[in-house]
Amino acid sequence: MHVLILGGTTEGRVLAGLLHDAAGATGATDGAGPRVTSSLAGRVAAPRLPAGEVRVGGFGGAAGLADWIRLHGVDAVIDATHPFAERISFNAARAAATAHVPLLALRRPGWVPGEGDDWHEVGSLAEAAGALGGLGGRVFLTTGRMGLAAFADRPEWFLVRSVDAPEAPMPARTEVLLERGPFTLEGERELLARHRIDVLVTKDSGGAATAPKLAAAREAGIPVVVVRRPPVPAGVAVAATPEEAARWALDLGRGPGVGPAPGPASAPAPGPRPGPAGQRATDPAAGPSMEG
């Protein structure tokens, strides 16, 4: 069985390790364990590579992905991309339907506000930029390096944190901080104080690795502009953890007599499932993530 993981997240890397270990435990050459290929978009200069085979780069849209699936004998696809990688998730749904292979979306649970939070939820980066008026003048912008153009015309001062250096256009008054999570609560407290931050902008990426900034903002009474995540494509099954996704793939590999593991991966779902998605943003059980 050949499993294609559309990766680039910590969850995708953990999933590849779980499936690779399963193949090693059974001996992949006897057909009992899955062959695992992870595909990375190539947007990060030095990504942390997962176990198993790795390819880097795009596919050329949904049609190109469907062709790649057929050419390489892929039996199942798991979309473990960032919750905001809307285009590749849409292409994955179309490609899987075209190639007639099962598709699962692996999505870490999103954040929810806790007592004392001052959240302003918006639907896009453009809306986030528009929401800044009156909230503050020194902005901690943690939405990743790809969407800075939405804030290019804003008059506020911005501290932009990303894994790789951003490119123009970006706000005129910008300081760039190149760091990769996980981050600590103590570190985020110090950062907010040192830069005199009075408003935070973030995507609802979920996970524990970048959640301490939310707790630090709550303690400091700083408002947070949160960009809501896009929904998973309609009809795509969803798993909340790498372990659930691994069970789904391994059950598929056991043949038609064995159905997918119970839980969210066993039935189509229009978006992240309820339950774990309601965890507090500071709950370590939400799992790690990369910022942006």
Side-chain angles (χ1 to χ4, degrees), residues 23 28 74 83 121 143 204 208 235 277-278:
V74 171
E121 296 191 35
T143 56
D204 179 16

Side-chain angles (χ1 to χ4, degrees), residues 4-14 16 37-59 65 68 78 80-82 88 180 290:
L4 173 63
I5 300 173
L6 305 176
T9 59
T10 300
E11 290 79 12
R13 194 166 61 252
V14 171
T37 300
S38 294
S39 178
L40 308 181
R43 293 178 177 174
V44 177
R48 298 170 180 171
L49 297 180
E53 302 173 38
V54 178
R55 68 172 301 279
V56 178
F59 292 96
L65 177 53
W68 199 96
I78 300 178
T81 57
H82 192 277
I88 185 59
R180 186 197 300 264
M290 291 183 63

Side-chain angles (χ1 to χ4, degrees), residues 104 237-239 241-255 258-268 273:
L104 179 74
V238 181
T241 67
E243 291 76 16
E244 290 180 22
R247 288 197 300 270
W248 178 86
L250 294 173
D251 283 347
L252 286 177
R254 294 189 183 108
V258 179
S266 63
R273 69 171 186 173

